[in-house]
Amino acid sequence: MSMVKTEAYVVKAQGEDLVKEEIELPELKATELELDMICCGLCHTDIHMRDNDWGVANYPLVPGHEGIGIVRAIGSAVKTHKVGDKVSVAWIRDSCLDCDSCACGRENICQKGYQGTYLASNAGIFGKEATHKV
């Protein structure tokens, strides 16, 4: 499968300004969706990540972690969405949905961790490899 290219605003290094450029998206995993983003918000969390205030940013970084998009492609294991669906993107994905915290709607303190939208494995339990299936 060939890499999908798109345009994004990228922070190339700590503290640098956003630069619009063409990027390649990682290969779509079986449990993932690929979206055409309609809108995306930026908040102070994105500034913290740009500046690496928490010591967990990886560069280049594409900020913006909450938004709305239209499903353009689905992974082979996705059963709950189809191409053309409108979906939202949140900060937290891949929480376990089984622990006591998730059971009461507090995925932000999932006992098994979660994947933050743009965190990598250097963020510890909050940058874990995605394991939850859509």
Side-chain angles (χ1 to χ4, degrees):
M1 178 178 218
S2 63
M3 295 295 256
V4 174
K5 293 184 179 188
T6 190
E7 288 186 326
Y9 285 93
V10 178
V11 176
K12 293 186 177 201
Q14 183 175 348
E16 288 191 2
D17 290 338
L18 293 166
V19 176
K20 186 176 181 180
E21 64 181 45
E22 186 175 79
I23 63 168
E24 287 188 349
L25 299 176
E27 186 173 334
L28 187 66
K29 295 180 183 177
T31 59
E32 293 179 335
L33 303 173
E34 186 176 290
L35 309 178
D36 285 319
M37 295 302 293
I38 297 169
C39 63
C40 182
L42 295 176
C43 72
H44 206 79
T45 299
D46 299 292
I47 302 300
H48 286 301
M49 291 299 287
R50 179 199 66 188
D51 296 341
N52 200 20
D53 291 337
W54 302 317
V56 296
N58 287 335
Y59 303 97
L61 172 81
V62 177
H65 59 277
E66 297 167 333
I68 304 293
I70 304 294
V71 176
R72 157 171 56 190
I74 61 170
S76 60
V78 174
K79 306 294 182 213
T80 57
H81 296 82
K82 64 185 181 310
V83 171
D85 284 351
K86 187 181 289 187
V87 297
S88 64
V89 177
W91 167 246
I92 296 172
R93 66 180 178 95
D94 295 314
S95 57
C96 76
L97 302 178
D98 292 321
C99 70
D100 291 340
S101 297
C102 287
C104 68
R106 303 203 53 204
E107 294 90 351
N108 62 312
I109 55 173
C110 175
Q111 294 158 7
K112 296 179 184 174
Y114 62 80
Q115 177 65 51
T117 304
Y118 51 48
L119 293 179
S121 59
N122 68 328
I125 195 169
F126 303 112
K128 70 178 189 166
E129 185 65 27
T131 57
H132 174 67
K133 298 190 182 346
V134 177

